[in-house]
């Protein structure tokens, strides 16, 4: 294996430039043309492509170093034949400093008033057909000082600022962001300051002749720069980032460029990455020298924006320092409790809830249940009101198919389910869990009682499998044995309704002639008002009341 030293190419007369980015790591395999480092002078930046393919064996520079032509950048290990064939690193006309020179100007005309009028022309692009105007930092009427950036031009591999050639006033700038411009093209005019007019403005001959940094734009555009690829693969969710910035990009597109905005200092790789993601560079705070924007700044910007609540977010609950008012203890939530936080918020925020209340007269049902006690003993299977509720709900779902449905995400269709799986809310020490009993409509009361108990036990012992908590069409939340006369359960979206069951109690019921002491069961039906209207819900709940009042109706 042969080793070769890759050196800083010709800098077009500049004595020193700064290393602002290192795009490869020691030990990395690089392809010919792949960017190794980015150099920057006061006014322009350029990428140094690898002159050969090989493996990096030692990087001799670091970010912030100032380097000169011929300084070693890194050592490359090349396969035998490739080494012989490889050309020495050449950066023809890559003249960072040339761009730092005043922009090319036409010889000054006699001043109409004040100083001379200078034509602002695109410098020699070193062979590139055209470059793009990516920023405009001044507008007609602006007073500028010599060297102040008027605009930024960018090719495939390098960007450069177009500095004011003298102190003065911008008369015209006949271009806009996105225009492609060519060597020598007149971009506008600048009137030099009166005091300066007497003296020769810059040195036109030398300036016009000077090659410029954008000479490198003629280099063939390779794949995205390696640092860009690395950043995109960085673990940040690019899709999410892109979504976040779509809006900003749209806004930026519709926004008139801020002509008077402060100049943005950023290397081409950073600019390319910002464009790919859609980050408006003028909103990024640069942490590099002279406020230059680094890749880290883009990352910080993205992180900050992702962490910020979206514009449509609800007002947040204030973060109160409770310890300021007395002793506190902070207890971590279980995973189930954390999931409940998300699920409840999701349902509550997405579903317009309405809750309807009624009482079922379950005197006969309770008498029947009592009569089954010997059989319960015999079967070792206890019947609580729950399996009867399951049966009644299954029948109600069959009679009212809109309750056994889900609103399609497009909001334009209702998915009607032809099966009948019912979830039962189970209170466990870890939190609320909702196992699902499948095909409730095809099971007996005994089967439903056994299955409900088995699933509730599994839930409390953390033995439930994921599949046993999926596929519900409807949920029953029974707080009956705990107490309360009514509550408003939250729909378990995308289901469209849930039945809350409260404590059975003997209550006076008017039969038209007298009050009777009847065992009544408070029911509350919450439903998604987008799918179910009040009349539907009234009918569904009345159906349940009737069936639970007289179980013989299940036979009909
Ligand atoms: N009114 C009065 N008593 C009731 C009743 C009601 N509505 N429902 C059940 N009971 C009685 C039962 O008959 C049983 O009595 P006995 O022990 O005397 O026979 C007793 O209460 C205990 O019943 P259970 O809880 O063991 O069984 P169940 O079938 O009624 O309920 C289950 C099972 C898993 C639903 C229940 O244990 C549970 O966890 N409920 C809480 C659900 C919940 O937290 N919902 C809220 C969700 S939203 O925050």
């Amino acid at each position: 294996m042969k080793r070769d030293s890759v050196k800083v190419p010709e800098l077009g007369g500049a004595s020193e430039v700064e290393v602002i980015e290192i795009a490869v790591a020691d030990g990395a395999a690089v392809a010919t043309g792949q960017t190794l480092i980015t150099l920057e002078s006061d006014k322009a930046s350029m990428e140094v492509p690898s002159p050969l393919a090989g493996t990096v064996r030692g990087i001799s520079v670091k970010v912030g170093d100032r380097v000169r032509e011929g300084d070693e950048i890194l050592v490359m290990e090349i396969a035998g034949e490739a080494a012989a064939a490889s050309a020495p690193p050449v950066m023809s006309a890559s003249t960072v400093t040339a761009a730092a020179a005043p922009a090319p100007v036409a010889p000054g005309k006699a001043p109409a008033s004040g100083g001379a009028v200078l034509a602002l022309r695109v410098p020699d692009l070193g062979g590139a057909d055209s470059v793009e105007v990516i920023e405009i930092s001044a507008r007609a009427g602006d007073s500028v000082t010599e060297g102040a950036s008027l605009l930024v031009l960018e090719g495939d591999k390098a960007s450069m600022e177009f500095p004011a050639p003298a102190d003065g006033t911008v008369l015209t700038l006949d271009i806009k962001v996105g225009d492609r411009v060519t060597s020598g093209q007149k971009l506008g005019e600048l009137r030099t300051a009166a005091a300066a007019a007497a003296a020769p403005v810059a040195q036109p001959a030398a300036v016009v002749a000077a090659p410029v940094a954008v000479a490198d734009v003629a280099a063939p555009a390779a794949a995205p720069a390696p640092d860009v690829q690395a950043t995109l693969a960085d673990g940040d969710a690019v899709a999410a980032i892109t979504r976040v910035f779509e809006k900003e990009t749209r806004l930026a597109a519709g926004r008139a460029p801020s002509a008077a905005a402060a100049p943005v200092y950023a290397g081409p790789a950073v600019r390319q990455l910002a464009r790919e993601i859609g980050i408006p560079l003028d909103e990024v705070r640069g942490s590099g020298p002279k406020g230059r924007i680094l890749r880290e700044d883009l990352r910080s910007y993205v992180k900050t924006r992702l962490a910020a609540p979206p514009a449509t977010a609800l007002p947040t609950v204030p973060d109160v320092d409770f310890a300021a008012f007395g002793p506190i203890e902070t207890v971590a939530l279980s995973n189930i409790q954390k999931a409940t936080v998300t699920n409840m918020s999701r349902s509550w925020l997405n579903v317009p809830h309405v809750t309807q209340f009624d009482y079922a007269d379950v005197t006969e049902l309770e008498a029947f249940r009592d009569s089954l006690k010997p059989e319960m003993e015999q079967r070792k299977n206890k019947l609580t009101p729950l399996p009867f509720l399951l049966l009644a709900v299954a029948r109600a779902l069959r009679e009212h198919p809109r309750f056994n449905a889900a609103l399609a995400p497009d909001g334009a269709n209702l998915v009607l389910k032809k099966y009948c799986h019912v979830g039962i809310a189970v209170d466990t020490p870890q939190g609320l869990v909702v196992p699902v009993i499948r095909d409730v409509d095809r099971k007996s009361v005994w089967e439903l009682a056994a299955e409900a108990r088995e699933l509730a036990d599994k839930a409390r012992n953390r033995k439930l499998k994921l599949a046993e908590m999926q596929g519900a069409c409807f949920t029953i939340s029974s707080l009956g044995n705990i107490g309360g006369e009514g509550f408003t359960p939250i729909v378990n979206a995308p289901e469209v309704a849930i039945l809350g069951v409260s404590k059975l109690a003997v209550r006076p019921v008017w039969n038209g002639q007298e009050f009777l002491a009847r065992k009544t069961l408070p029911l509350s039906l919450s439903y998604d008002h987008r799918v179910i209207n009040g009349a539907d819900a009234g009918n569904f709940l009345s159906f349940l009341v009737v069936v639970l009042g007289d179980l013989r109706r299940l036979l009909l």
Side-chain angles (χ1 to χ4, degrees):
M1 292 285 189
K2 188 184 172 212
R3 291 189 177 215
D4 231 340
S5 174
V6 179
K7 296 196 164 58
V8 175
E10 182 200 344
L11 296 174
S15 53
E16 264 190 0
V17 291
E18 187 181 337
V19 178
I20 61 163
E21 283 175 294
I22 297 181
V24 291
D26 201 8
V30 294
T32 307
Q34 183 174 331
T35 301
L36 299 175
I37 61 171
T38 304
L39 302 174
E40 191 172 78
S41 73
D42 286 350
K43 296 294 174 194
S45 59
M46 59 176 281
E47 293 175 358
V48 178
S50 178
L52 30 83
T55 306
V56 177
R57 296 291 179 218
I59 300 174
S60 317
V61 293
K62 59 183 187 314
V63 170
D65 281 359
R66 296 194 69 79
V67 293
R68 293 164 173 268
E69 180 184 331
D71 284 354
E72 182 175 272
I73 297 173
L74 50 79
V75 174
M76 186 97 82
E77 187 175 84
I78 328 137
E81 286 186 18
S86 67
V90 173
M91 294 289 296
S92 61
S94 314
T95 57
V96 172
T97 41
V105 295
K109 293 184 207 161
S113 69
V117 174
L118 307 178
L120 303 169
R121 292 188 185 280
V122 177
D124 179 11
L125 298 177
D129 289 342
S130 64
V131 292
E132 188 179 343
V133 177
I134 61 167
E135 281 172 36
I136 299 178
S137 319
R139 64 181 159 196
D142 281 358
S143 292
V144 293
T145 53
E146 182 182 334
S149 177
L150 300 181
L151 48 98
V152 180
L153 303 174
E154 188 172 81
D156 290 341
K157 287 284 179 187
S159 61
M160 64 170 287
E161 291 176 359
F162 188 103
D167 293 354
T169 305
V170 176
L171 295 178
T172 55
L173 260 184
D174 304 322
I175 37 150
K176 59 185 185 313
V177 169
D179 282 357
R180 295 197 71 85
V181 295
T182 54
S183 296
Q185 181 177 333
K186 183 177 171 186
L187 305 177
E189 289 183 334
L190 177 138
R191 186 195 304 284
T192 61
V201 178
Q203 293 165 5
V207 171
V208 172
V212 296
V214 287
D216 263 341
V217 297
D227 53 344
V228 171
Q229 291 170 333
T231 306
L232 293 180
D234 241 339
D236 287 337
V238 176
I241 293 169
T242 306
R243 271 200 306 282
V244 166
F245 289 106
E246 268 170 4
K247 189 166 151 251
E248 275 76 5
T249 310
R250 281 199 302 277
L251 286 174
R255 186 174 63 195
S258 149
V264 173
Y265 295 103
V270 168
R271 288 179 186 280
Q272 184 179 349
L273 178 58
R275 267 202 311 278
E276 283 179 14
I277 299 176
I279 300 177
L281 276 179
D282 56 352
E283 289 183 12
V284 181
R285 206 165 53 83
S287 62
K290 285 183 262 160
R292 189 172 52 232
I293 298 170
L294 309 176
R295 274 180 299 161
E296 289 65 38
D297 300 325
L298 297 185
R299 285 201 191 96
S300 307
Y301 181 87
V302 168
K303 277 186 192 151
T304 310
R305 298 306 296 261
L306 284 176
T312 54
L314 295 172
T316 49
V317 176
D319 183 8
V320 175
D321 176 14
F322 301 109
F325 305 102
I328 60 164
E329 181 191 357
T330 303
V331 182
L333 294 180
S334 69
N335 287 339
I336 291 174
Q337 289 165 332
K338 282 190 268 188
T340 301
V341 170
T342 306
N343 296 342
M344 289 297 172
S345 304
R346 187 175 53 210
S347 288
W348 184 252
L349 292 172
N350 280 289
V351 176
H353 280 76
V354 177
T355 307
Q356 205 143 322
F357 301 89
D358 210 339
Y359 289 92
D361 183 337
V362 291
T363 312
E364 309 304 337
L365 189 157
E366 284 298 282
F368 180 49
R369 210 165 59 87
D370 260 357
S371 72
L372 289 171
K373 282 218 165 115
E375 203 173 334
M376 292 184 211
E377 295 280 329
Q378 197 188 346
R379 289 174 178 260
K380 300 199 181 335
N381 189 357
K382 190 165 89 176
L383 294 181
T384 65
L386 183 65
F388 295 96
L389 285 162
L390 283 162
L391 268 191
V393 160
R395 178 56 68 88
L397 289 174
R398 195 175 81 186
E399 299 293 325
H400 302 85
R402 280 181 84 84
F403 283 77
N404 193 3
L407 187 62
D410 61 7
N413 292 287
L414 199 59
V415 181
L416 298 170
K417 301 169 191 173
K418 305 296 181 186
Y419 49 83
C420 182
H421 307 334
V422 178
I424 50 169
V426 177
D427 182 36
T428 79
Q430 296 78 42
L432 180 65
V433 184
V434 186
V436 180
I437 302 181
R438 308 198 111 68
D439 300 317
V440 171
D441 53 336
R442 295 192 214 157
K443 290 177 177 163
S444 71
V445 169
W446 296 110
E447 286 171 319
L448 293 171
E451 200 169 333
R453 191 166 43 256
E454 185 192 329
L455 287 171
D457 286 347
K458 276 188 172 181
R460 291 182 177 122
N461 296 316
R462 304 190 198 195
K463 293 269 168 33
L464 275 180
K465 298 193 183 85
L466 189 61
E468 291 172 313
M469 293 183 279
Q470 293 174 330
C473 310
F474 184 95
T475 295
I476 297 177
S477 177
S478 173
L479 282 175
N481 65 326
I482 298 169
E485 210 175 333
F487 66 108
T488 55
I490 295 178
V491 174
N492 195 11
E495 296 161 33
V496 294
I498 182 170
L499 182 71
V501 183
S502 297
K503 194 172 178 68
L504 188 160
V506 176
R507 295 180 176 88
V509 176
W510 182 252
N511 71 353
Q513 289 164 341
E514 56 182 340
F515 281 106
L516 301 175
R518 304 290 290 176
K519 290 184 177 169
T520 58
L521 189 63
L523 302 176
S524 44
L525 178 75
S526 292
Y527 54 91
D528 183 340
H529 209 354
R530 295 173 304 174
V531 177
I532 293 164
N533 58 36
D536 293 335
N539 287 330
F540 187 93
L541 198 52
S542 297
F543 183 91
L544 279 180
V545 167
V546 168
V547 167
L548 291 169
D550 184 353
L551 290 177
R552 291 173 302 178
R553 296 215 159 249
L554 286 173
L555 301 172
L556 299 176

